[in-house]
Amino acid sequence: FSKIGSKPQMEQDELNKVVERSSSYMSSRISSRISLTRNMCNRELSVKLSAPLFEWVMENLIKNAVDAMEGTGAINITTGEERGMAFVEVADTGKKKKRKNFKTIFNPGYTTKKRGWGLGLTLAKRIIEQYHSGKIYVRASEPGVGTTFRIDIPLNQ
């Protein structure tokens, strides 16, 4: 209980390993009718992060993707680097998000589910922006294709 409300411990870590660990954990917990693939950057992505918090964000994005696909489809997780930032993309073949909702989906209480409080993406945004000095956003959403969420966090060079 003494850690509740305290700033998380940020440590140097390899992003590919953290993403691999969280996606492997989720892969064993989702339907076999949903394929989960990973396209990991072929070089080490050294970042400063809180592994438990970042893994929770990944799990939340994967759970949301599973819900959006209603039991069948594909999730593709990609890591890479651009302009001094490491990135993770979580793409699904689920329902399209409306462009007008790209920003509001991160607001507390926003949900498309019958059950739930609409806090997962709100907490994910807070974790990425406040603790990891990064950004999380909807990169793309197209009918018949699905939705891609992207996380950018600074690379430590």
Side-chain angles (χ1 to χ4, degrees):
F1 286 111
S2 66
K3 291 186 178 186
I4 293 175
S6 63
K7 190 168 180 167
Q9 184 70 32
M10 306 300 280
E11 297 177 355
Q12 202 67 28
D13 213 331
E14 209 287 301
L15 184 62
N16 289 323
K17 290 179 183 173
V18 175
V19 170
E20 180 74 34
R21 198 167 46 237
S22 60
S23 59
S24 291
Y25 172 80
M26 289 304 296
S27 180
S28 65
R29 285 159 177 74
I30 61 177
S31 167
S32 60
R33 296 183 305 161
I34 295 175
S35 69
L36 192 150
T37 58
R38 297 170 201 88
N39 298 306
M40 308 304 270
C41 182
N42 57 8
R43 72 176 285 271
E44 192 171 286
L45 300 171
S46 180
V47 295
K48 200 165 207 165
L49 55 71
S50 165
L53 288 178
F54 197 89
E55 288 173 7
W56 183 89
V57 170
M58 289 298 301
E59 291 171 19
N60 184 264
L61 291 176
I62 293 167
K63 284 179 189 175
N64 286 349
V66 168
D67 290 343
M69 292 183 291
E70 299 175 338
T72 185
I75 299 170
N76 187 28
I77 300 172
T78 305
T79 64
E81 63 173 302
E82 284 181 357
R83 298 182 298 273
M85 301 291 274
F87 71 81
V88 179
E89 290 184 347
V90 178
D92 66 57
T93 57
K95 295 179 277 191
K96 174 188 184 288
K97 310 262 185 276
K98 293 180 179 138
R99 180 163 284 287
K100 68 178 184 169
N101 293 338
F102 280 16
K103 287 191 188 330
T104 58
I105 62 173
F106 293 100
N107 291 344
Y110 180 92
T111 185
T112 58
K113 302 172 190 172
K114 289 179 183 168
R115 295 176 49 137
W117 293 14
L119 295 176
L121 288 174
T122 302
L123 292 173
K125 183 176 177 76
R126 181 177 178 193
I127 289 166
I128 296 302
E129 292 183 357
Q130 290 184 7
Y131 300 133
H132 294 88
S133 302
K135 186 176 179 183
I136 182 171
Y137 55 97
V138 178
R139 182 164 185 260
S141 193
E142 298 176 46
V145 176
T147 301
T148 302
F149 280 86
R150 181 165 169 145
I151 300 169
D152 293 322
I153 59 172
L155 271 170
N156 292 329
Q157 315 249 345

